[in-house]
């Protein structure tokens, strides 16, 4: 079974295919985009060891030279970008060619940015291999690298030409990586679809074992993202809803040194719980809403609070200051996502410091 979500962006429109066995059909799906039977694959060693042969087999007659980068966030910087761009030029990748990003969010963001600037823009296909990349980073055209000033500070909006989200690939994830990616799935229900959140409450604990449920969870998340991106491609408004939980998350990631003490999706999950806690404190939503978010995270075996993060964290004042350094600051003011209930998030410029401190202290 293959589900297709269309991202309707006029001349930049594309499809996201979600299903099982997509790698085996990569040639059939990517072939129509090609002017010659050759793609340029960029991946990282760990993922390539697991998936590159299957992708090449699926590409059949299409040649697929590959660049294998080092796994990890450090690759997503100037050096990794230069390596990728120079390799594509060495390979004589032309303006009409297609680059394939095979990997998680790091590879998707880096390769998407390399494609955006190579020869002033070549097309690229995302083959996301983590749950987080399948439901979030591979869709919507945000591409970027990190600099010493922070994460994702240099980049471009460059939409892929196709996304192949093969849910069978998710079998190779560790349970922790799978659960971390789930933080972004849950976020969609919380930000805009109470019914989907209810569906997740009933079904999410079986996602890791049931491919049909997995397809539905990924498809629904991608559909929600496609709808938001179609309304607001360059994040002038609504797209900021996708940052629910992210301001808390960015502070926690900075406080834990972007280490494996806290994976991004784990931080998003905790951030969502805290954003609902804050919304309840502000009288915006019922007190039972944050309790419901926490209960769901508990049923998924996921962290819900600051106290669940291993090791010491800075005090609440320091975390609040880190939240203020979020890159979504405009004219000195944060755009922060709060909620009037489950599925009813909204963007505000107000970050009520006293209440945020109260939420952080209660969670510590
Ligand atoms: N990951 C948030 C966005 O694509 O806007």
């Amino acid at each position: 079974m293959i589900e297709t979500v269309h991202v309707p962006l006029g001349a930049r429109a594309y499809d996201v295919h979600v299903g099982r066995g997509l790698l085996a059909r990569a040639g059939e799906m990517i072939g129509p985009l090609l002017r010659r039977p050759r793609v340029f694959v960029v991946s990282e060693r760990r993922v390539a060891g697991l998936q590159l042969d299957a992708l090449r087999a699926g590409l059949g007659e299409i040649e697929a030279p590959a660049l294998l980068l080092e796994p990890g966030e450090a690759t997503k910087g100037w050096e990794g970008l230069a390596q990728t761009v120079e390799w594509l030029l060495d390979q004589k990748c032309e303006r009409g060619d297609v680059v394939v990003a095979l990997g998680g969010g790091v590879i998707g963001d880096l390769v998407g940015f390399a494609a955006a600037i190579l020869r002033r823009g070549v097309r690229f296909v995302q083959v996301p291999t983590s749950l987080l990349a399948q439901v979030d980073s591979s869709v919507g055209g945000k591409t970027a690298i990190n600099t010493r000033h922070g994460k994702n500070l240099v980049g471009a909006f460059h939409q892929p030409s196709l996304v192949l989200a093969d849910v069978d690939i998710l079998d190779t994830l560790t349970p922790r990586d799978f659960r971390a990616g789930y933080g972004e799935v849950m976020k969609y229900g919380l930000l805009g679809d109470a019914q989907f959140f209810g569906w997740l409450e009933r079904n999410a604990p079986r996602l890791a074992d049931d491919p049909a449920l997995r397809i539905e969870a990924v498809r629904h998340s991608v559909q929600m993202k496609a709808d938001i991106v179609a309304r607001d491609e360059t994040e002038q408004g609504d797209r900021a809803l996708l940052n629910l939980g992210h301001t808390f998350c960015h502070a926690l990631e900075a406080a834990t040194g972007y280490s494996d003490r806290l994976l991004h999706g784990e931080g998003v999950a905790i951030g969502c719980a805290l954003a609902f806690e804050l919304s309840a404190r502000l009288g915006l939503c019922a007190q039972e809403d944050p309790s419901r978010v926490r209960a769901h995270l508990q049923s998924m075996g996921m962290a819900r609070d600051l106290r669940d993060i291993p090791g010491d964290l800075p005090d609440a004042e320091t975390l609040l200051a880190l939240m203020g350094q979020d890159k979504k600051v405009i004219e000195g003011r944060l755009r922060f996502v709060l909620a009037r209930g489950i599925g009813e998030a909204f963007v505000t410029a107000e970050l009520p410091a006293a209440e945020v401190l109260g939420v952080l202290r209660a969670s510590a």
Side-chain angles (χ1 to χ4, degrees):
M1 182 176 58
I2 298 179
E3 299 279 351
T4 300
V5 176
H6 185 65
V7 187
L9 288 171
R12 295 178 307 290
Y14 55 97
D15 286 336
V16 181
H17 297 311
V18 182
R20 304 190 65 185
L22 296 185
L23 283 190
R25 297 177 58 182
E28 174 196 329
M29 293 177 169
I30 297 175
L33 299 173
L34 307 181
R35 295 190 189 153
R36 56 174 173 159
R38 171 175 280 242
V39 291
F40 302 87
V41 179
V42 182
S43 187
E44 46 100 324
R45 288 182 203 291
R46 202 181 33 193
V47 163
L50 296 166
Q51 312 297 349
L52 184 57
D53 286 349
L55 176 65
R56 280 187 167 140
L59 286 167
E61 301 295 299
I62 300 168
E63 284 179 57
L67 170 67
L68 306 189
L69 299 165
E70 289 307 314
E73 191 75 30
T75 293
K76 202 179 118 175
W78 292 111
E79 218 176 295
L81 178 69
Q83 202 183 338
T84 304
V85 168
E86 295 293 354
W87 179 78
L88 289 167
L89 291 171
D90 288 344
Q91 293 290 321
K92 310 220 173 344
C93 175
E94 296 174 3
R95 189 91 191 270
D97 285 327
V98 169
V99 177
V100 175
L102 173 69
V106 165
I107 288 295
D109 286 7
L110 167 72
V111 177
F113 186 41
I117 58 176
L118 184 77
R119 302 192 190 279
R120 299 202 177 92
V122 300
R123 292 168 302 154
F124 80 114
V125 171
Q126 290 268 22
V127 184
T129 59
S130 68
L131 180 57
L132 187 142
Q134 292 193 353
V135 299
D136 185 34
S137 58
S138 69
V139 179
K142 277 190 181 174
T143 73
I145 58 167
N146 307 326
T147 84
R148 67 185 171 80
H149 292 279
K151 284 181 75 171
N152 297 328
L153 290 179
V154 175
F157 285 99
H158 184 53
Q159 300 291 342
S161 298
L162 178 70
V163 182
L164 300 182
D166 185 334
V167 299
D168 286 341
I169 294 178
L170 305 179
D171 283 333
T172 60
L173 297 181
T174 64
R176 186 180 179 198
D177 281 329
F178 189 88
R179 285 197 299 267
Y182 179 74
E184 297 277 3
V185 176
M186 179 189 74
K187 177 193 80 177
Y188 287 103
L190 293 178
L191 75 86
D193 191 338
Q195 240 179 318
F196 183 49
F197 186 71
W199 184 90
L200 290 171
E201 285 179 314
R202 292 188 299 283
N203 294 299
R206 287 180 293 129
L207 277 187
D209 308 315
D210 185 331
L213 290 179
R214 235 189 255 180
I215 291 173
E216 179 49 18
V218 174
R219 185 205 64 79
H220 195 99
S221 302
V222 169
Q223 183 66 62
M224 287 188 69
K225 179 146 190 187
D227 291 345
I228 292 173
V229 168
R231 290 203 298 277
D232 178 21
E233 185 180 1
T234 56
E235 200 169 313
Q236 307 302 310
D238 266 13
R239 186 164 179 166
L241 291 171
L242 295 170
N243 299 322
L244 175 63
H246 281 63
T247 307
F248 282 113
C249 171
H250 291 148
L252 295 173
E253 284 183 299
T256 49
Y258 300 95
S259 68
D260 69 358
R261 276 174 67 197
L262 183 75
L263 304 180
H264 178 71
E266 294 170 334
V268 169
I270 296 173
C272 286
L274 298 184
F276 269 81
E277 195 61 56
L278 179 60
S279 301
R281 274 187 189 232
L282 294 168
L284 293 165
C285 70
Q287 184 52 55
E288 65 206 32
D289 288 341
S291 307
R292 207 173 141 193
V293 178
R294 281 212 169 78
H296 179 54
L297 287 172
Q298 187 165 18
S299 78
M300 294 298 291
M302 292 174 69
R304 306 167 285 290
D305 275 300
L306 269 53
R307 70 183 79 91
D308 301 326
I309 301 170
D312 292 334
L313 285 176
D315 60 17
E317 284 75 10
T318 308
L319 289 174
L320 178 66
L322 288 171
M323 288 171 75
Q325 284 165 21
D326 191 284
K327 69 177 177 303
K328 310 289 187 232
V329 173
I330 297 178
E331 289 168 5
R333 303 186 86 183
L334 267 174
R335 275 180 301 163
F336 194 72
V337 186
L338 292 171
R340 297 196 177 86
I342 293 199
E344 294 175 63
F346 65 97
V347 183
T348 172
E350 307 303 326
L351 186 65
E355 283 82 1
V356 173
L357 286 172
V359 166
L360 290 169
R361 285 189 191 118
S363 184

